[in-house]
Amino acid sequence: MSSSSSSWQDRYGWLVIAFFLAVTPVLTYGAKGAWDSIKNRVEDWLPETFEETQRLIWFYQQFGTDELLMISWEGCTLDDPRLNQYKTQLSKLDTSGQEPVEWFGEIITGADAIESLTSDPLELPKADALARMDGWLIGPDHQQTCLIAIVSKAGEENRAAAIEYAYQCADQVKELTRENLIVAGPTSDGVAIDNASKNSLDLLNLGSFVVCITIMYIGFRSMRATMIVFLIAIFCEQLSMSIMYFSGQEIDSVLTLVANLTYVLSISSGVHLVNYYRESLVDRTTKESVAWALRAALVPCLLSAGTTAVGMLSLTVSQIRPVTNFGLYAAASIGAGSIVLLLLAPAALYKFPVNPKLWHDPNHGPRWLHAFWDKLSQSIDSLRWVIFATSLALIGVCLVGVSRITTSAQLHDLFWPEARIIHDYDWLEEHVGPLVPIEIVLRMPTSTDTQPDGMKLDEQFYILDQVQKAVSDVDGVEASMSAATFAPQFPDPTQRGFIAITRRTSFRKILQNRLDQYVDMNYLSNEEDDHLWRISARVPAGDRLHYGDLMDRVKKNVDSILADHPNIAPIYSGSVPLVFKAQTEMLNDLIKSFGLAFIMIAGIMIVLLRNVFTGFFSMVPNILPTLIAFGTMGWLGMPVEVGSLLTASAALGIAVDDSLHFISWFNKGIASGANRREATRLAYEHCGAAMVQTSLICSFGLLVFALSPFTPISRFAWMMFSLLLIALLCDLFILPAILLCFSREKKIEGSEASTTLAQ
């Protein structure tokens, strides 16, 4: 038996080990390249095929991107001399590198805006000028102000360096330091995500390694076995990062979770394999045990990898790019990792035999649990229908909770409340004004020789002003701005008479002279014979506004003004419509991906159990963890964000892992002629301890990442921790009850049964 089954390990074991050692430097290079290339931008989450994304791209083409920083500090008032000093420093070229770099283009201060409004040709009273800038560059006290720095092309390509330069400039101003600076804006968002997700990840990975090694060693009581599984898992983790890097995939912080997930799943399969090997040592030599363990683990490990990959692939139905990429690369990494494990682990165990004396002591290891498994199988058998009915009732309660789920994709859901970026956003919104944009573009036909039915300039401005006021009246909108903000008081175009006509003619002349300035300010764009007038509204990032309801209110107010002007087409863009679309898609994706994963995995279970009824009900313990977790979130009113979204289908695939090992041994017991209770006990004895070990290793290994300052990673860790422990309880209690309720027994002769079990 041993010569044929272990021949490949004997002949090619060293070659397999040498091959993996040889490719390790390549994988390390790929993993480092992937790590260094992490880049985040929330606006890039939705595909270009979405109308909201296309409108945002079109908006950027017409008016430029929103790459800017809003910068202020305590005591930054209109008469603060540090304001102009800091502006001067920020305008300079950065000469610290090999070549001078201009990180920022136009820089505007509140004092600049007030001076522009109060000087020729507008000559507004200062009180009116302050009122127009209220909520934009001037705070509610009409003293606190800020600075807006438009990021250059170089700054867009290296946002982190641009922001660092902004902090360095603060140190060049007397009585101002980088610690005093308060910075927010779209440019800072992606950098903050990069820093939050990367800065502590090395330490968190180290913590996860320590936790996994500790739990494995407690279970194995063998450092050699522990290190074999651990090093293979590290190899698989590096492999997953390399797959992403060498395939040319742009990597964001969500994708870094693929490596962590691959790592813990590789450990899970490795623990099952080592436990089979350990069990076989009672009756076989170390070399024979390698072959026996590989045969015992091959089918369930491949099936569990396949079902987990199916769960991950179901995420590719998502329209949110990080979720789609996560599902695709997680499936590829898990598949590749399972192949690596099934090749490398047997080769390592064969060439570096593990056979500690403690493993042969019946008072240590899984065998001392046999009496416990026997009692548990008896208890489950007597309560099987009660357990089954209770699980169905629990599913019903959880489904009601799931129906109450809400989703969120706002900035405040990406960081802990104490994060600096959240503090800066909240401070600026309290002392200056809101920061989340809604962009409304009014396409107005211009009166020309080729378009005589077009509108005169003063008529366009009157409507622009009316629409801006209507938007400002919307509950939730706290500030708005357009070209009308930088125009003189203009007459009502509906008035008649010589004086009114003269005023409008004079007003049109002033406006005509300022059109180029409005274009430079990005509040006007020309498209053929049409004027595109931009109204930029702002809502607070810190308020939990329902963006769908908000946009409905905005559109209702705008439509009421434009009801008599059917030739004017409003176009809505900005972060609010995009975030609302992301939230809507997240809920749709949660339903679609989980449903698809359930159907595909249920099909696998039906084929495996060769019984439609049993296969279908065997999914109960696999879907219950996800339903409990998300049902609880629904009942408690906790919003689902991208980190939580990833766990639904992922947990379903992972939960099947232990189920397949249990079902595999249960089927072997039934095939050998054992009754259902005996088959249940057999499954407990062969994989019960491994199920507990793998669940503890995976759950606590991932729980370390709950300390990440990047909330999606933290939420993912907490959710996976909860789901895996719930899945363990379901596999230990509910799955055996269902198998005892619905499986069919097979009667064969005793001698044949003994032979089957021995194999």
Side-chain angles (χ1 to χ4, degrees):
M1 180 179 71
S2 63
S3 61
S4 60
S5 60
S6 65
S7 58
W8 77 264
Q9 292 121 359
D10 191 25
R11 295 178 182 178
Y12 305 113
W14 286 119
L15 183 61
V16 169
I17 294 171
F19 172 77
F20 284 111
L21 288 175
V23 300
T24 295
V26 178
L27 299 187
T28 302
Y29 172 82
K32 185 180 184 304
W35 177 252
D36 292 340
S37 65
I38 293 175
K39 183 180 180 182
N40 296 277
R41 183 175 167 83
V42 178
E43 288 81 357
D44 295 335
W45 282 15
L46 294 178
E48 295 183 1
T49 55
F50 276 7
E51 183 181 353
E52 289 78 5
T53 312
Q54 291 175 346
R55 283 204 302 263
L56 189 64
I57 294 172
W58 173 85
F59 178 84
Y60 288 161
Q61 291 171 345
Q62 297 294 332
F63 300 100
T65 68
D66 59 352
E67 291 284 357
L68 59 83
L69 294 178
M70 178 182 281
I71 305 172
S72 188
W73 54 85
E74 291 275 4
C76 180
T77 58
L78 291 170
D79 55 0
D80 185 354
R82 295 174 295 178
L83 189 60
N84 279 330
Q85 294 172 22
Y86 181 72
K87 176 183 176 181
T88 301
Q89 290 294 331
L90 204 62
S91 303
K92 294 179 180 179
L93 296 179
D94 181 4
T95 58
S96 60
Q98 295 181 349
E99 296 181 2
V101 180
E102 181 184 39
W103 294 118
F104 299 98
E106 186 179 6
I107 302 173
I108 308 166
T109 68
D112 294 336
I114 297 300
E115 182 180 356
S116 174
L117 291 171
T118 55
S119 60
D120 185 66
L122 301 183
E123 297 183 339
L124 295 177
K126 187 174 181 180
D128 290 348
L130 289 171
R132 292 193 182 193
M133 289 295 103
D134 192 346
W136 282 93
L137 295 174
I138 306 296
D141 62 355
H142 286 183
Q143 288 296 319
Q144 182 72 45
T145 187
C146 66
L147 175 149
I148 300 291
I150 308 299
V151 179
S152 67
K153 288 294 183 182
E156 290 183 27
E157 295 174 0
N158 193 344
R159 298 183 180 93
I163 292 177
E164 175 58 26
Y165 183 68
Y167 282 113
Q168 290 175 7
C169 288
D171 293 328
Q172 306 302 315
V173 177
K174 187 178 181 180
E175 297 183 0
L176 186 64
T177 65
R178 64 170 55 219
E179 286 74 23
N180 302 137
L181 222 58
I182 298 173
V183 181
T187 301
S188 66
D189 297 349
V191 176
I193 294 173
D194 291 344
N195 293 336
S197 58
K198 292 172 64 175
N199 285 351
S200 60
L201 205 53
D202 287 339
L203 188 60
L204 294 176
N205 273 319
L206 180 61
S208 179
F209 295 161
V210 172
V211 168
C212 291
I213 289 174
T214 301
I215 298 176
M216 272 195 294
Y217 181 75
I218 292 173
F220 292 159
R221 298 297 177 89
S222 168
M223 184 53 69
R224 180 178 296 183
T226 298
M227 293 311 297
I228 286 175
V229 175
F230 172 73
L231 291 175
I232 292 174
I234 291 293
F235 182 93
C236 293
E237 182 183 47
Q238 301 287 299
L239 175 62
S240 68
M241 293 293 282
S242 297
I243 290 173
M244 290 184 278
Y245 177 74
F246 289 119
S247 66
Q249 173 63 46
E250 290 187 2
I251 299 171
D252 53 47
S253 296
V254 174
L255 274 179
T256 61
L257 292 170
V258 172
N260 305 128
L261 194 61
T262 304
Y263 164 75
V264 295
L265 290 177
S266 298
I267 284 183
S268 175
S269 296
V271 168
H272 276 290
L273 182 64
V274 170
N275 272 283
Y276 290 145
Y277 170 84
R278 177 180 185 172
E279 178 187 340
S280 178
L281 282 176
V282 177
D283 304 312
R284 300 173 181 84
T285 66
T286 55
K287 293 184 177 181
E288 291 173 340
S289 294
V290 171
W292 188 90
L294 181 58
R295 285 203 309 274
L298 183 62
V299 172
C301 280
L302 287 176
L303 281 173
S304 64
T307 52
T308 305
V310 165
M312 300 302 173
L313 282 174
S314 68
L315 292 171
T316 59
V317 302
S318 173
Q319 299 293 333
I320 299 176
R321 287 179 181 173
V323 177
T324 302
N325 293 335
F326 177 88
L328 179 64
Y329 284 99
S333 298
I334 290 166
S338 65
I339 295 173
V340 169
L341 178 80
L342 293 173
L343 286 174
L344 189 52
L349 287 172
Y350 193 90
K351 296 301 182 181
F352 303 98
V354 180
N355 190 20
K357 293 181 179 180
L358 193 64
W359 284 14
H360 296 275
D361 186 347
N363 295 319
H364 292 81
R367 281 173 294 163
W368 72 271
L369 290 169
H370 285 188
F372 171 77
W373 297 131
D374 185 53
K375 290 181 180 180
L376 181 60
S377 61
Q378 292 181 32
S379 300
I380 297 293
D381 190 24
S382 61
L383 297 173
R384 62 186 184 275
W385 289 108
V386 175
I387 294 173
F388 176 64
T390 303
S391 65
L392 293 182
L394 189 57
I395 287 176
V397 173
C398 292
L399 285 173
V400 176
V402 169
S403 68
R404 298 167 175 257
I405 280 180
T406 58
T407 56
S408 177
Q410 300 182 31
L411 178 73
H412 278 57
D413 294 313
L414 301 180
F415 304 93
W416 292 116
E418 60 271 14
R420 178 166 184 173
I421 186 173
I422 299 301
H423 167 268
D424 287 359
Y425 262 89
D426 291 345
W427 191 94
L428 283 168
E429 291 193 331
E430 179 183 354
H431 293 87
V432 181
L435 292 167
V436 179
I438 303 175
E439 304 289 354
I440 302 109
V441 178
L442 301 180
R443 182 189 298 273
M444 299 189 189
T446 305
S447 178
T448 62
D449 294 337
T450 59
Q451 193 169 234
D453 295 333
M455 304 173 66
K456 293 183 174 61
L457 204 53
D458 60 314
E459 294 174 326
Q460 295 182 29
F461 255 74
Y462 179 76
I463 295 172
L464 177 66
D465 181 61
Q466 293 299 305
V467 173
Q468 181 183 344
K469 290 177 179 177
V471 171
S472 298
D473 290 339
V474 173
D475 184 25
V477 175
E478 296 190 3
S480 65
M481 185 175 287
S482 71
T485 307
F486 301 94
Q489 297 289 347
F490 45 88
D492 187 342
T494 61
Q495 293 181 352
R496 297 291 179 263
F498 177 76
I499 295 177
I501 293 173
T502 303
R503 288 176 178 173
R504 287 199 297 273
T505 301
S506 175
F507 180 68
R508 277 197 294 267
K509 184 176 181 181
I510 295 174
L511 294 180
Q512 191 68 46
N513 293 334
R514 292 178 63 84
L515 285 182
D516 290 340
Q517 184 178 353
Y518 294 141
V519 172
D520 294 338
M521 295 170 66
N522 291 324
Y523 282 106
L524 170 64
S525 179
N526 298 309
E527 192 174 72
E528 297 179 350
D529 292 332
D530 295 338
H531 278 161
L532 303 176
W533 296 102
R534 171 190 180 186
I535 300 172
S536 188
R538 290 290 186 271
V539 299
D543 289 358
R544 288 289 178 179
L545 297 173
H546 188 286
Y547 284 171
D549 294 342
L550 175 64
M551 288 306 302
D552 288 340
R553 294 195 297 270
V554 170
K555 291 176 181 179
K556 181 180 178 180
N557 280 23
V558 172
D559 290 343
S560 67
I561 301 298
L562 299 181
D564 298 330
H565 303 279
N567 58 337
I568 300 178
I571 303 167
Y572 301 92
S573 186
S575 294
V576 170
L578 198 65
V579 170
F580 175 62
K581 181 65 175 182
Q583 292 177 175
T584 305
E585 284 304 312
M586 284 173 63
L587 187 57
N588 294 335
D589 294 345
L590 179 64
I591 297 171
K592 288 188 297 185
S593 63
F594 187 78
L596 181 61
F598 175 83
I599 292 171
M600 292 189 292
I601 295 175
I604 294 173
M605 300 295 281
I606 289 171
V607 172
L608 181 65
L609 290 169
R610 299 183 180 89
N611 186 303
V612 174
F613 203 63
T614 307
F616 180 79
F617 279 116
S618 70
M619 289 297 294
V620 170
N622 297 316
I623 64 170
L624 196 52
T626 301
L627 292 180
I628 290 175
F630 283 87
T632 302
M633 293 180 71
W635 281 111
L636 296 179
M638 298 172 59
V640 174
E641 41 68 62
V642 66
S644 303
L645 172 64
L646 297 174
T647 63
S649 299
L652 177 58
I654 296 171
V656 178
D657 187 355
D658 287 338
S659 298
L660 286 167
H661 283 275
F662 192 95
I663 290 171
S664 176
W665 282 105
F666 180 87
N667 283 346
K668 288 181 180 180
I670 293 295
S672 70
N675 60 38
R676 285 176 294 198
R677 192 184 68 78
E678 291 171 345
T680 302
R681 178 182 54 78
L682 178 72
Y684 275 132
E685 291 177 355
H686 280 283
C687 60
M691 288 164 59
V692 174
Q693 290 174 16
T694 56
S695 296
L696 292 178
I697 291 167
C698 291
S699 58
F700 282 97
L702 285 172
L703 182 62
V704 174
F705 294 95
L707 299 175
S708 171
F710 185 48
T711 304
I713 293 179
S714 178
R715 286 272 188 95
F716 179 86
W718 271 114
M719 289 289 290
M720 290 303 297
F721 172 78
S722 304
L723 287 165
L724 289 172
L725 290 185
I726 296 172
L728 173 63
L729 297 177
C730 290
D731 282 332
L732 288 177
F733 297 100
I734 297 177
L735 177 61
I738 291 174
L739 294 175
L740 287 165
C741 286
F742 301 108
S743 295
R744 297 176 182 176
E745 297 179 354
K746 178 181 178 181
K747 301 296 183 181
I748 62 176
E749 297 299 324
S751 60
E752 185 180 348
S754 301
T755 304
T756 305
L757 277 174
Q759 293 175 345

